[in-house]
């Protein structure tokens, strides 16, 4: 499906057009349209690939999807929502919805001491289009609900007034069209070496190469529902990686680590004799099966039989080895006869490469036999359903090659075994799979939060949640027999719903292993030991007990805290305790996606120890559509985010909070006005005594949102404690003196500068990274800052390398206020 229908909002009486388009061989000509799952009559609506509805009535609201079919198969589009408003009804309410931000610690808000303040937000809904918008097929961005007017307020804090902008009114305007990107790195699954200058294909189209360190950026084409990318090693050391990459439809970049499987060393075969190659030799286990190649089976592309020496490489990806899940191709899905994309459960994949021994020219193979050991299939119901599949590299979908049928045992000691036998021909496609369609399916609800408070207003969008389906050994939940499939979904404003295999009879028939990453950083799961806390995990008892929730470090505290495992126990519809999530039956995807935050769900959170960010103009970095064009916006451009950090060395007996205060410095519209605050706790250098370092974010100098004048941000760096400045990087001092005006630095307890416009680098102690994703820009800049280099990455603080300013701090005599505290209580005097 190359064009999917789009969501629309109309007023009753207007008309609407939905469009879809499928490609295939032969070209699909027959289209069917459905409203809320019911086929619409072709005679009544006279539709083809376009559906036009005139004189809309309220009962025509709902979901619409199309299906295209040929003799080769069928495919369904994604559903599109049609909202029909009554006359005078508004889809964008002028009053903003509540949205809370956390204020600095010195600003208690109400009698209860809550530090959250309601800044409001506009619901991210579509607006009704005017009567002129009829086509429905073009690239028209449409109209969306957004901020029409903001108001400045002042909040009394300890000794000063904190400015804050709040949404005063919402209204309809053109929808923002943020760029959607997938970034990441391609490395070898076994050694971690990068794929240098590998080719990247989307569909059949080459879109670029990986970099020297294996890095890549793919811009997601508009209207994409499924992003299928193929990574090809030009040196032929790795099997092509065909990945279905998750992306954030609301814009911004998602970070993905892509693993490539190294090709097995080729063996020499005599093409004139029959040969057998084992499939899967996991340590100490029997092979899953074998590939039987009869004599004279190898063919040149012309069809001529090749009887010479064949170099044969058959790489088997064995799901009994848990480490192979990340290197598997595609997302293990196929399109069924109805055109629905449905999941497969794998028993092994193999990539074949046959070449002539002398010339290295690629060979094809006539009918070869695939024999699979029935003893390796632990779920007896799967023996009847096992099939052979090949991967279509353009759609990322598996297509059926043949059925595996039971046959007698083979010779010698294996005579009592049952083998499943099937045939396939090896032509252009080189990646095959032993799979069963699995219809015991559910959805798992997961949310990600910015900290351990699990505040509904502090959910993170753009987090990649990954779920690997495991087949556990009965009685040994921590020791699975094999993995069966994997899925990745990106969190939206209401979390994510991940497909998973489940069972109603045996809760532990399938288990799920779940992880979460944001810009390459792993998020933490909620602890399961020493005792389960249902309130923290987000699932009430007794269902939580049935799910058997365990964080990875449950039995061994040395293991990571970044994953959990659950039994995917299908909810019992007659048991009220199991009807409120976190597992939903497969037909209840809508209930899962729309579930309120009070319903059961599983949780991850960011370990944001000792970090605080405050923006005068509120902005949620995980939702780029929340950006507002304002002179005081921390990020002036929603298409490109430039993160700036300064490295501070602190000599003192403990770790200290360091604040950056960022004020307009040279622009006439913002001079003297606050942009925002950043607080960061310094991190000890493990190699230096009584020394710590802090990487503190500041607002970069540069154009403001109107792109007409540069502002040099006035940045003050203030450690909390009894500290005095002892050194300033000489290159930085020289640069600032050569680029006036120079900020006054007459107080030794702080460092003040008009921030440089140039991206200076580690020699100056300043770290600048530009990216289309604000989180990623910050992560990369912090990694360089910790390392003290302009291209490295470290999570270990090297406090004396690449530093901009040094403070010496000592313990304060009792009763004496630090400069930081004086600044909070009496800023004018300080």
């Amino acid at each position: 499906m190359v064009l999917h229908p789009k969501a629309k909002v109309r007023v009753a009486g207007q008309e609407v057009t939905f469009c879809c388009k499928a490609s295939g061989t032969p070209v699909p000509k027959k289209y069917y349209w459905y409203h809320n799952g019911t086929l619409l009559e072709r005679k009544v609506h006279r539709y083809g690939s376009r559906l036009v509805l005139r004189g809309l009535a309220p009962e025509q609201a709902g979901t619409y999807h199309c299906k295209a079919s040929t003799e080769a198969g069928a495919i369904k589009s994604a559903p599109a929502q049609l909202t029909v408003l009554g006359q005078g009804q508004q889809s964008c309410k002028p009053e903003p919805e509540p949205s809370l931000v956390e204020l600095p610690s010195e600003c208690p808000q109400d009698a209860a001491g809550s530090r959250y303040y309601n800044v409001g937000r506009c619901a991210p809904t579509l607006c009704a289009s005017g009567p002129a918008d009829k086509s429905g097929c073009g690239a028209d961005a449409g109209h969306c609900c957004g901020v029409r007017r903001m108001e400045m307020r002042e909040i009394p804090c300890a000794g000063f007034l904190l400015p804050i902008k709040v949404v005063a009114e919402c209204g309809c305007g053109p929808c923002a069209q943020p760029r959607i990107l997938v970034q990441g790195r391609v490395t070898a699954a076994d050694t971690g070496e990068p794929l240098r200058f590998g080719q990247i294909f989307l569909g059949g189209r080459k879109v670029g190469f990986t970099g020297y360190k294996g890095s890549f950026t793919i811009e997601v084409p508009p209207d994409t529902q499924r992003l299928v990318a193929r990574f090809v090693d030009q040196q032929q050391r790795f099997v092509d990686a065909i990945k279905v990459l998750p992306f954030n439809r609301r814009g911004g970049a998602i970070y993905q680590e892509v693993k490539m499987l190294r090709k097995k060393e080729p063996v020499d075969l005599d093409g004139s004799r029959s040969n057998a190659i084992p499939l899967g030799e996991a340590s100490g286990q029997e092979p899953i099966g074998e590939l039987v190649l009869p004599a004279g089976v190898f063919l040149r592309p012309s069809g001529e039989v090749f009887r010479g020496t064949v170099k044969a490489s058959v790489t088997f990806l064995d799901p009994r080895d848990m480490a192979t899940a990340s290197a598997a191709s595609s997302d293990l899905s196929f399109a069924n006869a109805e055109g629905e994309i449905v999941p497969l459960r794998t028993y092994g994949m193999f990539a074949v490469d046959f070449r002539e021994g002398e010339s290295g020219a690629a060979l094809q193979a006539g009918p070869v036999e695939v024999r699979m050991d029935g003893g390796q299939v632990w779920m007896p119901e799967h023996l009847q359903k096992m099939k052979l599949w090949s991967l279509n590299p353009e759609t990322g979908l598996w297509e059926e090659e043949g059925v595996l049928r039971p046959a007698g045992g083979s010779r010698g000691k294996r005579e009592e075994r049952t083998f499943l036998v099937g045939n396939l021909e090896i032509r252009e496609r080189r990646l095959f799979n032993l799979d069963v369609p699995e219809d015991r399916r559910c959805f798992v609800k997961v949310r990600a939060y910015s900290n351990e408070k699990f505040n509904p207003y502090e959910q993170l969008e753009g987090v990649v949640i990954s779920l690997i389906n495991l087949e556990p050994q009965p009685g040994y939940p921590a020791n699975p027999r094999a993995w069966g499939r994997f899925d990745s979904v990106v969190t939206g404003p209401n979390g994510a719903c991940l497909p998973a295999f489940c069972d109603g009879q045996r809760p532990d028939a399938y288990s799920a292993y779940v992880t979460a990453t944001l810009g390459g950083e792993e998020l933490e799961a909620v602890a399961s030991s020493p005792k389960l806390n249902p309130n923290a995990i987000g699932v009430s008892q007794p269902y939580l007990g049935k799910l058997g929730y365990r964080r990875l470090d449950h039995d061994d505290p040395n293991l990571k805290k970044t994953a959990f495992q659950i039994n995917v126990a299908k909810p019992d519809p007659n048991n009220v305790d199991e009807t409120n999530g976190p597992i939903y039956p497969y037909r209840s995807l809508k209930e899962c996606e729309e579930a309120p935050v009070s319903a059961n769900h599983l949780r991850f959170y960011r370990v944001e120890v000792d970090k605080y960010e405050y923006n005068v103009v509120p902005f949620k970095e995980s939702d780029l559509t929340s950006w507002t064009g304002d002179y005081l916006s921390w990020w002036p451009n929603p298409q490109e985010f430039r993160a700036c950090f300064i490295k501070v060395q602190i000599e003192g007996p403990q770790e200290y909070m360091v604040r950056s205060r960022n004020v307009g410095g040279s622009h006439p519209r913002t001079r003297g006005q606050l942009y925002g605050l950043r607080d960061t706790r310094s991190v000890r250098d493990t190699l230096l005594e009584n020394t710590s370092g802090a990487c503190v974010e500041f607002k970069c100098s540069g154009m403001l949102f109107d792109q007409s004048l540069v502002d040099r941000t006035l940045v003050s760096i203030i450690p909390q404690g009894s500290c005095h400045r002892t050194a300033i990087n000489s290159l930085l001092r020289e640069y600032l003196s050569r680029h006036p005006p120079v900020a006054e630095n007459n107080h030794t307890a702080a460092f003040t500068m008009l921030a440089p416009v140039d991206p200076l680098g580690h020699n100056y102690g300043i770290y600048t990274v530009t990216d289309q994703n604000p989180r990623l820009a910050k992560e990369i800049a912090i990694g360089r800052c910790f390392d003290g280099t302009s291209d490295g990455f470290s999570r270990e603080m090297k406090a004396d390398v690449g530093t901009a300013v040094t403070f010496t701090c000592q313990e304060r005599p009792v009763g004496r206020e630090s400069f930081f505290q004086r600044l909070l209580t009496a800023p004018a005097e300080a």
Side-chain angles (χ1 to χ4, degrees), residues 499-559:
F501 297 144
C502 58
D503 196 296
Q505 266 48 58
R506 289 186 17 242
D508 60 350
Y510 276 118
S511 65
Y513 177 89
V514 188
T515 56
T517 58
L518 179 65
E521 167 200 359
E522 292 182 285
L523 272 59
E524 202 156 296
V526 182
S528 58
S529 59
K531 93 180 220 256
L532 281 177
N533 178 353
N535 291 334
I537 293 166
V539 181
S540 55
Q541 291 286 24
Y543 199 17
L544 179 61
K546 190 172 174 182
L547 299 179
Y549 177 93
R550 299 161 66 88
R551 194 166 72 177
L552 199 55
D553 64 347
H554 186 84
D555 295 319
D556 181 354
N558 295 322
L559 291 175

Side-chain angles (χ1 to χ4, degrees), residues 286-314:
E286 290 277 344
I288 276 179
E290 60 184 5
L291 196 59
V292 180
L293 306 154
V297 78
F298 295 107
L299 307 168
R300 287 184 164 137
S302 63
E304 175 198 348
V305 174
F306 178 78
R307 297 186 184 278
T309 302
V310 176
K311 288 207 171 291
S313 164
V314 176

